[in-house]
Amino acid sequence: MAYKNPNKNKDKFPWMGQRFIGKTKQRKCFTIKKEALLWESEQLLEPAEQKTLTVCLLDWATEYLRHAEQNFTGKTFCEKRIAFRQLFACPGINPKESASRLTALQVQKALQRQAASRSGNAANKDRKNLSAAWSWGVKFLRLPTENPFSKVEKFASERFERYVPTLDDFWKVFHSLEDDQDKLMLYCYLQTGARRDELFRLTWADVDFLRKRIRLSWRKNKVGEWRSQWLSVKDDLAEWLLRHKKGNSDLKAHVFVSYRSLAYQYRQHWLKKVCKEAGVKPFGFHGIRHLFASILAAQNVPLVEIQYMLRHTSLATTQRYIHRLKKENREVLAALPGLTASETKSTSKVHRQVLGV
C-alpha cells in the first residue's frame, strides 16, 4: 500500500510505493499517490515465469518498429515496416506464432519468395533489416540468441552504378530554371555536396553570414542520433543566400520553402522533370553529391578532406563516391606497350584482307 515518503527527498517525491516480487521487496518514490498505486498494482512475473515468457512474431515486430520510429529517419522506418509486412505475407509464417519457433528454413523460403517476385537486392535489404530487428529482440525481448535471418546467405543481385551527371548537364539544368529559389537550391547542392533532406531542413539559424558557412544536420547512423557540422561556403553562395533572405521577408524559419510556405519533404519528381525539360539524362540529388566528390577528387583534394565535406564516418564510403569525370584517358593508354613496326605492318595486311581491300 502506498504511503507518505519519510526520507529526505519527500519534498520532491512525497509518496512511496511498495511491492513484493517473490520474497524480494521493492520501493519506489512518486510525486502523486495515484502513480504509486498504479506501480504497485502492476502484475509482475516470478523469475521462473519470465524465462518461459513467449513473444509472438507480431509483438516482436510491433515493439521493434516502435523503437525504429523513435530512433531512425522516416525513410528507414518505412523500409523496416515494409520488410515485416513482406515477411508476414509469406505462406507458412503466422504473425501470432511464437517467435522462438521461427526457423532459418522458413526465413530462407520467405526471402527466396522476395528475391523471385521483387529482386535479389530487395531480399537482401529485407534480410539485413530483419536480422537487425532480431538482434534487438534478443537484447530486449529475450528472443533466442540464434538469429535465423543471419543464417541465410545473401542472394545474387544486380548492382547498377549510380548515374552521375556531367558538369555540363548540371549547368544545362541550372540555366533552364526560371525560379530563383530553385536555382539557389541546386547551386547549394553543387557547392556543399549535401544530402537531399539536409537542405530541405536547413533553417536561417543554420546560416552564418559573418563567417560564410552553413550548418548541415543529419541522422544517418546506427543509433539514430542527430549530428550536425558547419561547412564553409564560397563567397558567391553566401551573398546569394543573403539576397534570398532579404528579398523574401515573408519566409519562415526554413531557407527553402514550397509555394505553401512549408519546408520541402520529398520533391522526388521535380529534378527528373526539369532534367527532361533541359534535354539531359535524368539525375537525382544524390547524383549531384557524387559529382561534388568527383570534382574535388579531380582537383587533387586529399581524400580525408573530401570525407570531411561529405560527413562520412568511413573513408571507404567516400571512395565509392568518386567517379571518373572523363570517359577516356589517352595518357593512361599511352603507357601500355604497343606493337613493333613489323607487327604493325603484318596486322595491317591482315586487316585489309578481311575488308577485301
Side-chain angles (χ1 to χ4, degrees):
M1 186 67 181
Y3 59 93
K4 291 292 185 70
N5 185 2
N7 299 323
K8 293 181 179 180
N9 62 345
K10 61 183 179 181
D11 293 335
K12 189 174 182 180
F13 301 103
W15 289 96
M16 179 80 76
Q18 178 177 284
R19 66 186 182 185
F20 289 88
I21 304 178
K23 296 182 179 180
T24 304
K25 182 187 294 186
Q26 282 189 340
R27 291 192 180 95
K28 189 175 181 180
C29 299
F30 297 91
T31 54
I32 59 176
K33 185 177 180 180
K34 183 178 179 180
E35 290 180 350
L37 292 172
L38 287 173
W39 180 75
E40 288 180 341
S41 64
E42 289 178 357
Q43 186 175 359
L44 299 176
L45 297 174
E46 298 289 341
E49 292 176 302
Q50 291 183 12
K51 293 181 181 179
T52 61
L53 183 65
T54 59
V55 178
C56 71
L57 291 172
L58 184 59
D59 290 340
W60 160 56
T62 302
E63 292 300 326
Y64 179 71
L65 289 177
R66 184 178 291 117
H67 159 77
E69 188 174 20
Q70 295 175 348
N71 294 279
F72 297 102
T73 61
K75 180 180 177 182
T76 302
F77 167 72
C78 289
E79 184 180 289
K80 293 177 180 294
R81 183 175 58 184
I82 291 172
F84 278 108
R85 187 179 298 166
Q86 296 289 347
L87 176 68
F88 294 155
C90 292
I93 294 183
N94 183 0
K96 296 183 179 179
E97 191 175 52
S98 171
S100 61
R101 298 185 63 181
L102 184 67
T103 66
L105 181 60
Q106 287 178 300
V107 172
Q108 172 79 15
K109 291 181 179 180
L111 292 177
Q112 280 179 336
R113 187 170 181 261
Q114 297 308 315
S117 62
R118 297 163 72 199
S119 67
N121 286 329
N124 289 333
K125 187 177 292 186
D126 284 358
R127 172 187 173 275
K128 180 193 70 172
N129 284 313
L130 294 171
S131 179
W134 190 273
S135 298
W136 181 89
V138 170
K139 186 175 181 180
F140 295 101
L141 300 176
R142 299 189 298 280
L143 295 185
T145 54
E146 288 191 7
N147 191 327
F149 296 95
S150 62
K151 288 185 176 182
V152 179
E153 298 291 335
K154 288 185 177 180
F155 294 86
S157 59
E158 296 182 22
R159 299 191 66 87
F160 300 96
E161 186 176 355
R162 181 184 295 275
Y163 173 66
V164 179
T166 63
L167 197 54
D168 288 340
D169 282 353
F170 173 87
W171 288 123
K172 285 180 182 178
V173 173
F174 175 84
H175 291 301
S176 71
L177 297 173
E178 297 181 358
D179 185 80
D180 189 68
Q181 179 183 253
D182 288 343
K183 298 180 76 170
L184 174 59
M185 175 183 281
L186 209 61
Y187 190 59
C188 274
Y189 280 113
L190 181 66
Q191 292 294 326
T192 63
R195 301 178 181 93
R196 180 186 62 177
D197 56 337
E198 288 176 341
L199 287 188
F200 286 177
R201 71 170 65 96
L202 186 71
T203 66
W204 289 114
D206 298 318
V207 182
D208 185 346
F209 292 106
L210 182 62
R211 299 184 181 181
K212 297 179 180 178
R213 60 179 187 170
I214 65 174
R215 179 174 55 196
L216 299 178
S217 302
W218 70 98
R219 194 171 70 168
K220 190 174 183 180
N221 49 76
K222 291 183 179 179
V223 296
E225 65 181 357
W226 283 100
R227 297 180 183 178
S228 62
Q229 180 175 305
W230 285 98
L231 294 176
S232 299
V233 297
K234 296 178 67 174
D235 294 351
D236 59 352
L237 178 55
E239 292 171 2
W240 196 349
L241 286 168
L242 184 59
R243 291 198 307 271
H244 179 58
K245 184 178 182 181
K246 290 181 177 179
N248 296 272
S249 58
D250 59 333
L251 287 179
K252 306 297 181 181
H254 289 86
V255 176
F256 302 108
V257 293
S258 66
Y259 67 95
R260 296 179 180 177
S261 298
L262 299 174
Y264 289 108
Q265 294 294 323
Y266 301 103
R267 227 186 180 192
Q268 59 188 102
H269 301 299
W270 172 74
L271 193 50
K272 181 179 179 181
K273 177 184 176 183
V274 296
C275 284
K276 184 177 180 180
E277 292 173 350
V280 304
K281 184 177 179 178
F283 57 86
F285 292 107
H286 215 71
I288 303 176
R289 180 169 165 83
H290 283 246
L291 175 62
F292 167 83
S294 301
I295 291 173
L296 295 183
Q299 297 298 321
N300 297 318
V301 175
L303 196 59
V304 291
E305 293 294 335
I306 302 176
Q307 178 189 7
Y308 176 81
M309 296 295 290
L310 292 175
R311 301 167 307 286
H312 286 153
T313 55
S314 170
L315 199 61
T317 305
T318 305
Q319 290 176 320
R320 293 198 297 269
Y321 273 64
I322 296 173
H323 304 259
R324 300 202 70 85
L325 297 182
K326 297 180 181 179
K327 293 184 178 180
E328 295 184 0
N329 192 329
R330 309 305 299 184
E331 294 179 0
V332 173
L333 296 178
L336 298 174
L339 298 173
T340 63
S342 60
E343 289 171 333
T344 302
K345 291 180 181 179
S346 176
T347 304
S348 299
K349 182 178 180 181
V350 173
H351 185 62
R352 288 195 299 270
Q353 290 177 348
V354 171
L355 295 177
V357 179

